[in-house]
Amino acid sequence: MSVHYTLNLRVFWPLVTGLFIAIVCLYHVLRGSGGARAEAPDGAEDADGGFPLLKVSVLLLLGYILLRCRHAVRQRFLPASPRLGGHSAFSSRHFQEPSLGILLESYYEHDVRLSPHVLGHSKAHVSRIVGELVRAGRARASPGPIPGGTLALAFRGDFIQVGSAYEQHKIRRPDAFDVLVPLRLPPLVALEPRSLGTEPALAPAFHGCFVCALKAPPGASGSHWLRDCKPFADGFCVDVRGRRHLSSTLVLRWFQSHLQRSLATVRYSLEERCRVSLTPGGLEQPPTLHILPCRTDYGCCRLSMAVRLIPAVHLGEGVFLVAPPPPSSPSGPLPELPGGLRADALWGVNTARQEQKLLGWLQERAPSGACYLKCLQLLKALRDLGAHGLDPAAATQWGRILSSYVLKTVLLAVLLRERAPEQGWDEAHLGKRLEQLVRFLRDCLLRRQTLFHCVLGPGGAAAEVGPLPKVLREAAPVDLLAAFDNHSRDLAASRLLSTWRRLPQLLRAYGGPRYLARCFPPRSQHTQGFPKDEP
């Protein structure tokens, strides 16, 4: 269900007409009830006075009928959407049907685009609730495996809002958010992170993971440090190749229990504004905070929201290690790790700050009205349309291969490859740019090309907009599609190509106002997208 505000003329004009008719009827009823004490001439005068209101109602009804007829004629004979600049956006051989532009624009406006007003309210509400929860968690002593003191984990006191809602490319409902909750390590504990991208025996799915060995901070004596740090190591670490490593599983378990205790502290103070509950994510997912509007809340944006709270350890320069790591096996549970590595010691990396800076840097270079974020939103919507008709297992695999992060990386790769993103990314070229993204993604899937992480490794693009920690600069490049076998990639590429070619039919069936489907009947030539001689 779309949650942005648009004026629906099909509802507005009948509603206004009905309101005026109801006013006329109420007027006559009220005047009739006082007719016993009114004289006959005065009664005739009242009837004459009510007649203009009836005429106004009739005129409004006629105006509505004329507007509907005009709208239907425009939709039937207008060559292209005015916002797409006439024929220029779809004049190539792949876009010869002007109705595709109208359907695409209508789909974006009614099913994809989010209202900035609603999204702003949602983000502000999430910030207030999560802020109170994090402050309560920071003030509350941890009774975890270590009974408080200088060797206990704790909340740092702030939180980092990440994800598409904060990068202006979220689609549909603003009801899901991701928030990083940074943790404060004890002063006696320092970390030595290491990327697993250079491990030859590891499967490609693990190349984006990290492990964090404990080390003594500068100036600490080795033997004394080992003795003093033993309570923390026993509570939060595991042995990997003879060294103590920070365990993402143990940290996540502590994090979930500490959140539950903190929520119990602030739940009463939040009852007047909302109802909150926490769902533990187990060992494979972070906990989710559910925010439900209370019955006494009469705000304009009463939405139920789910906020994933992700424990994070700061590496420096706005880069965080997060628990748990991303799914390392697209087809099942974690496989056996070679070389003494343990799955509960693996960490993922979050570079949302660098990616936000990169998008901001591109936005500064682009002229006003650039449509690359709109293209990313439509690419996500295209992925969702392609999932229709798939069985649950195939739909899950389709969503993993074409994840939102993969699609964002596709956009960044295309923009940075051009080195001039300000050229040709205006609204008039929306269709061509969307086709370019689909082609690039199809090639990455079908021709076994690589789609590297936009930050990790020496070729990371974020180095152009800010410094990176040494461990990220020296990490091996990570191919986001390397975890999927050739058969799965071939099926995804074929499905993507089929979805693109059937886009007009899919838009008529699933997107936008249903009355547009009557304006443009299906036609057999709506199969443009790629040249016929290409696979």
Side-chain angles (χ1 to χ4, degrees), residues 12 29 52 65 127 191 228 231 237 262 334 342 348 389 411 437 518:
F12 175 75
V29 168
I65 295 173
S127 298
L191 297 179
D228 296 339
C237 300
S262 303
L334 285 173
R342 297 182 50 162
L411 175 69
L437 295 177
R518 299 195 301 270

Side-chain angles (χ1 to χ4, degrees), residues 3 10 50 58 108 125 204 210 216 227 232 243 296 308 381 384 387 391 393 403 460 474 519-520:
V3 295
R10 302 180 67 201
V58 174
Y108 177 80
H125 195 46
F210 287 73
R227 184 186 67 247
F232 180 86
R243 292 189 64 182
T296 59
R308 290 201 313 163
D384 296 343
D391 60 82
S403 66
E474 298 177 352
C519 298
F520 302 99

Side-chain angles (χ1 to χ4, degrees), residues 125-126 129-130 133 263 266-279 288-297 302-307:
H125 195 46
V126 168
I129 302 302
V130 174
L133 181 61
L263 182 60
V266 300
R267 191 190 302 272
Y268 179 76
S269 63
L270 297 176
E271 285 182 351
E272 295 183 356
R273 286 177 287 169
C274 59
R275 293 174 292 159
V276 291
S277 61
L278 189 68
T279 302
T288 300
L289 181 70
H290 298 279
I291 304 175
L292 305 176
C294 62
R295 296 181 178 179
T296 59
D297 180 17
R302 301 179 74 251
L303 295 176
S304 300
M305 292 172 286
V307 185

Side-chain angles (χ1 to χ4, degrees), residues 87 157 196 222 266 313 344 377 424 431 442 448:
H87 290 281
L196 298 181
V266 300
V313 177
D344 55 355
Q377 292 174 298
R442 190 278 312 264
R448 313 294 181 267

Side-chain angles (χ1 to χ4, degrees), residues 107 172 383-390 395 398 495 502 506 510:
Y107 181 59
R172 297 191 172 94
R383 171 203 59 196
D384 296 343
L385 288 174
H388 287 289
L390 293 176
W398 167 262
R495 184 76 180 183
R502 297 183 298 114
L506 292 174
Y510 299 108

Side-chain angles (χ1 to χ4, degrees), residues 146-173:
I146 302 173
T150 59
L151 287 177
L153 277 177
F155 287 177
R156 201 173 69 176
D158 59 340
F159 57 94
I160 313 296
Q161 298 165 318
V162 298
S164 58
Y166 304 96
E167 295 173 356
Q168 309 306 317
H169 55 83
K170 190 172 181 61
I171 64 174
R172 297 191 172 94
R173 289 181 57 88

Side-chain angles (χ1 to χ4, degrees), residues 132-349:
E132 293 189 27
L133 181 61
V134 170
R135 284 191 295 270
R138 182 186 182 186
R140 185 182 180 87
S142 169
I146 302 173
T150 59
L151 287 177
L153 277 177
F155 287 177
R156 201 173 69 176
D158 59 340
F159 57 94
I160 313 296
Q161 298 165 318
V162 298
S164 58
Y166 304 96
E167 295 173 356
Q168 309 306 317
H169 55 83
K170 190 172 181 61
I171 64 174
R172 297 191 172 94
R173 289 181 57 88
D175 56 358
F177 299 89
D178 289 342
V179 174
L180 301 184
V181 182
L183 304 180
R184 178 173 54 83
L185 297 174
L188 289 179
V189 174
L191 297 179
E192 186 179 346
R194 179 171 61 89
S195 171
L196 298 181
T198 57
E199 293 279 345
L202 276 181
F206 295 96
H207 288 174
C209 296
F210 287 73
V211 291
C212 293
L214 295 189
K215 69 175 183 179
S221 172
S223 59
H224 292 289
W225 173 79
L226 287 175
R227 184 186 67 247
D228 296 339
C229 194
K230 188 176 186 303
F232 180 86
D234 291 343
F236 296 105
C237 300
V238 293
D239 284 324
V240 177
R241 296 174 179 175
R243 292 189 64 182
R244 303 293 279 174
H245 283 67
L246 190 65
S247 169
S248 60
T249 300
L250 295 178
V251 170
L252 182 61
R253 186 180 301 165
W254 168 87
F255 179 75
Q256 293 184 151
S257 61
H258 193 60
L259 275 179
Q260 288 282 14
R261 293 187 293 268
S262 303
L263 182 60
T265 304
V266 300
R267 191 190 302 272
Y268 179 76
S269 63
L270 297 176
E271 285 182 351
E272 295 183 356
R273 286 177 287 169
C274 59
R275 293 174 292 159
V276 291
S277 61
L278 189 68
T279 302
L283 301 181
E284 298 181 356
Q285 292 292 331
T288 300
L289 181 70
H290 298 279
I291 304 175
L292 305 176
C294 62
R295 296 181 178 179
T296 59
D297 180 17
Y298 300 103
C300 62
C301 304
R302 301 179 74 251
L303 295 176
S304 300
M305 292 172 286
V307 185
R308 290 201 313 163
L309 300 174
I310 306 170
V313 177
H314 191 216
L315 288 183
E317 306 297 344
V319 178
F320 292 87
L321 294 181
V322 295
S328 50
S329 178
S331 58
L334 285 173
E336 190 75 20
L337 295 180
L341 290 174
R342 297 182 50 162
D344 55 355
L346 300 183
W347 291 79
V349 64

Side-chain angles (χ1 to χ4, degrees), residues 461-530:
E464 301 180 6
V465 295
L468 289 173
K470 181 180 178 182
V471 65
L472 262 65
R473 295 197 306 269
E474 298 177 352
V478 176
D479 183 8
L480 300 180
L481 298 176
F484 303 97
D485 57 69
N486 292 340
H487 179 67
S488 298
R489 294 174 66 164
D490 288 343
L491 291 179
S494 175
R495 184 76 180 183
L496 179 66
L497 181 60
S498 173
T499 302
W500 178 253
R501 286 176 171 170
R502 297 183 298 114
L503 183 59
Q505 290 90 337
L506 292 174
L507 292 180
R508 291 189 185 94
Y510 299 108
R514 298 299 179 259
Y515 62 85
L516 282 181
R518 299 195 301 270
C519 298
F520 302 99
R523 300 180 184 179
S524 59
Q525 60 264 37
H526 273 159
T527 56
Q528 292 91 354
F530 293 95

